[in-house]
Amino acid sequence: MAARVLVACKRVIDYAVKIRVKPDKTGVVTDGVKHSMNPFDEIAVEEAIRLKEKKICEEIIVVSCGPDKCQETLRTALAMGADRAVHVNVKQGDYEKLQPLAVAKLLAKVAEKESVKLVLVGKQAIDDDSNQTGQMTAALLNWPQGMFASEVTFSGDDSVEVVREVDGGLETVSLKMPAVLSADLRLNEPRYATLPNIMKAKKKPMVKLSPEELGVDIKPHFEVVSVEAPTGREAGSKVESVDELLSKLKEKGVL
Amino acid sequence: QSTLVLVEHTNEALLPVTLNAVTAARKVGGETVALVAGTQCAAAAKVVSKIDGISKVLVADHESFKGFMPEVMAPLVVAAHKQFSFTHITAGSGAFSKNILPRVAALLDVAPLSDVIEIKSPDTFVRTIYAGNAVCTIKSNDSVKIFIARGTAFEPAEVGSSEVPVNEAPDGDMSLGSLSKWIGQSLSKSERPELASAKRVISGGRGMKNGDNFKLLYDLADKIGDTAVGASRAAVDAGFVANDMQVGQTGKIVAPELYIAVGISGAIQHLAGMKDSKVIVAINKDPEAPIFQVADYGLVEDLFKAVPAMTEKL
């Protein structure tokens, strides 16, 4: 297909961090907390790099929507092997209310502007767990979608076969390009950026665009009323033996 | 208020999560309409027409809906909405609804809400974020609210005997149908109950050491009866078992009456998938394993001794 691929990357609180809810219930504590690229998006970036290595695509553009800090995430993607980056600058105050629908609109505009033939995203971000952006981007572009992909095979110039993770197993679909794909866990194992590549990434081009320049209204469609810690589950008791366990379970009526 | 429930089915049979979605729809209040789209799906539509609380069933039976491709399913839902102006559109959480409803939402310029666990009022919903480590209450300002209901958070609706009318759904825009094609599926075949709907679940983690050892869990599950076998992401990543067995944030969310975690340390992302189970049992030889912090009954013992002993004594 020898065309451009757009990959979306979100900066999120690192997956290994135990998050804390703010006492005023407006959100979770993000200041001074380690952030990294959403793990599913890393898989999407890796897949794009493999497509380039196989000469299936010729240029990888990475995009992230948010305040200046998301440039770190874009640099990580560039260090992995992406060619250039688009930073859609959304100020901190607006970013806190940036919702997947608005992100999908921004991605669709960037995809059109850059004439890409493929959009790759992670299947969900591990902060809001929405699992929506890829599907909505496809809808806005009027393109077919291959969500939760665990294997993608390109054939000819205009068609891609996608093996998808569904509830009962796997499903295979064939899509005409251009298309939007979302990466599931088993699509690949992302590489680490090497030091020379991290240095090289600093010189790769990054442009900054605003939602206004893209003609996208990012106003929120819903309000977050509160964010709270879930009601905790109390630890129960230890049992000493299999016999004691079985008798407790029988007492409870679950066996 | 009127809610459209997008039905998940196999053409022949209804998938149970739809019954949970019907309960969620009824919490909204007003009329509940079901949409069944498929190929030769009359049998599924008939079952749906008997679900308590459904007032009408819309059916779209066409070759184009083979594989429930979102490129044609989403415009169909949009067409149904244009005709009846629903206040809400919903479906039970899973790969089916997550593939289709966000696409519907974007076509209608609506922000959808995934994995809703509570409906506070017709415009206010509760959903989990950060793998269940925070709970978020959201007020939607969209004219039609689109939400995906987590099955374990809503009791299943009953299937009764009286049938409501089944009408033909309006035609959706099929023009994108030529861009995508369903090729086939390979579903894991199992005699055992589905993870999402089983009364009891036994899951194995990295402590199982390999895939063959999962036989210990199958043997125990068979002995107990009506018990599904699942796995932690660590066990899936290690290649012990297939991904469709994964319980957790990135796998399936379950809330059975009894959940037995075997050789599972209790990573946050696993707890997100099972902590709403009624009774949790943890079997792990490491007394410090975080899984014990959520377990009602913890047994600190080598699983290779404890599990066969349980099977034998039952």
Side-chain angles (χ1 to χ4, degrees), chain A residues 105 127-130 132 135 143 145 165 167-168 170 172 174 176 221 223 225-226 228 233 236-237 239, chain B residues 71 98-99 103 109 114 130-131 135 137 139 142 179 181 183-184 186 243 249 252 275 277 295-296 298:
Chain A
K105 288 177 184 176
D127 48 8
D128 66 12
D129 286 337
S130 286
Q132 299 169 345
Q135 298 86 317
W143 291 0
Q145 69 187 47
E165 303 262 358
D167 292 341
L170 297 171
T172 307
S174 168
K176 287 251 167 62
H221 280 231
E223 298 156 36
V225 179
S226 70
E228 292 167 70
R233 207 185 160 105
S237 54
V239 292
Chain B
E71 293 78 9
K98 286 181 175 170
N99 198 22
R103 191 164 179 121
D109 195 27
S114 303
Y130 289 96
V135 176
T137 303
K139 181 175 176 291
D142 282 313
L179 300 181
K181 201 171 125 209
I183 307 281
S186 60
N243 188 47
Q249 179 195 19
K252 294 192 176 70
K275 70 182 168 55
S277 305
D296 298 286

Side-chain angles (χ1 to χ4, degrees), chain B residues 2-14:
Chain B
S2 62
T3 303
L4 179 70
V5 178
L6 178 63
V7 174
E8 183 173 1
H9 61 90
T10 62
N11 292 314
E12 294 84 26
L14 180 68

Side-chain angles (χ1 to χ4, degrees), chain A residues 16-226:
Chain A
V17 171
K18 176 118 179 71
I19 59 114
R20 281 184 302 130
V21 170
K22 287 185 190 165
D24 66 359
K25 298 184 181 177
T26 56
V28 303
V29 177
T30 54
D31 287 346
V33 171
K34 185 185 178 197
H35 283 67
S36 49
M37 193 191 305
N38 177 39
F40 289 101
D41 297 347
E42 274 186 335
I43 298 172
V45 172
E46 174 65 33
E47 196 62 21
I49 296 166
R50 292 185 189 192
L51 294 179
K52 193 178 170 190
E53 286 167 349
K54 287 187 228 161
K55 312 239 182 288
I56 292 170
C57 85
E58 65 186 13
E59 189 183 28
I60 302 164
I61 305 164
V62 287
V63 56
S64 192
C65 309
D68 283 343
K69 280 187 176 155
C70 69
Q71 290 190 4
E72 293 164 15
T73 306
L74 290 170
R75 289 289 170 205
T76 304
L78 293 171
M80 285 173 73
D83 296 296
R84 60 189 173 92
V86 176
H87 170 208
V88 180
N89 187 26
V90 180
K91 289 182 225 79
Q92 187 61 37
D94 292 336
Y95 181 64
E96 278 158 21
K97 294 175 192 150
L98 188 69
Q99 292 161 4
L101 177 63
V103 174
K105 288 177 184 176
L106 294 168
L107 296 184
K109 284 293 178 200
V110 174
E112 279 171 354
K113 192 170 176 300
E114 300 284 356
S115 316
V116 302
K117 228 175 158 185
L118 183 69
V119 175
L120 272 166
V121 298
K123 81 161 175 180
Q124 76 187 58
I126 59 163
D127 48 8
D128 66 12
D129 286 337
S130 286
N131 192 335
Q132 299 169 345
T133 303
Q135 298 86 317
M136 293 197 288
T137 306
L140 296 169
L141 289 165
N142 251 331
W143 291 0
Q145 69 187 47
M147 297 296 114
F148 330 139
S150 64
E151 195 182 332
V152 293
T153 315
F154 290 83
S155 54
D157 251 5
D158 68 339
S159 144
V160 56
E161 203 167 281
V162 183
V163 179
R164 306 178 51 235
E165 303 262 358
V166 294
D167 292 341
L170 297 171
E171 167 179 292
T172 307
V173 298
S174 168
L175 309 175
K176 287 251 167 62
M177 309 277 284
V180 179
L181 307 181
S182 81
D184 213 317
L185 279 175
R186 294 193 301 169
L187 184 59
N188 59 52
E189 273 191 40
R191 71 194 65 193
Y192 291 102
T194 59
L195 189 61
N197 285 342
I198 292 171
M199 300 314 286
K200 257 193 263 172
K202 291 185 179 163
K203 295 201 178 97
K204 288 185 178 175
M206 182 174 320
V207 299
K208 202 163 169 173
L209 287 170
S210 68
E212 295 76 37
E213 283 170 288
L214 290 166
V216 174
D217 180 357
I218 58 166
K219 77 165 184 342
H221 280 231
F222 57 79
E223 298 156 36
V224 172
V225 179
S226 70

Side-chain angles (χ1 to χ4, degrees), chain B residues 91-165:
Chain B
S93 189
F96 167 83
S97 58
K98 286 181 175 170
N99 198 22
I100 297 168
L101 282 193
R103 191 164 179 121
V104 172
L107 295 175
L108 294 171
D109 195 27
V110 164
L113 304 177
S114 303
D115 276 315
V116 165
I117 57 167
E118 190 188 337
I119 295 155
K120 294 213 158 183
S121 73
D123 66 0
T124 306
F125 304 84
V126 181
R127 60 180 302 265
T128 62
I129 54 177
Y130 289 96
N133 288 299
V135 176
C136 186
T137 303
I138 283 170
K139 181 175 176 291
S140 166
N141 297 322
D142 282 313
S143 59
V144 48
K145 279 83 175 158
I146 299 183
F147 68 97
I148 296 176
R150 180 177 292 172
T152 55
F154 301 93
E155 291 293 315
E158 301 280 329
V159 179
S161 51
S162 59
E163 294 173 28
V164 298

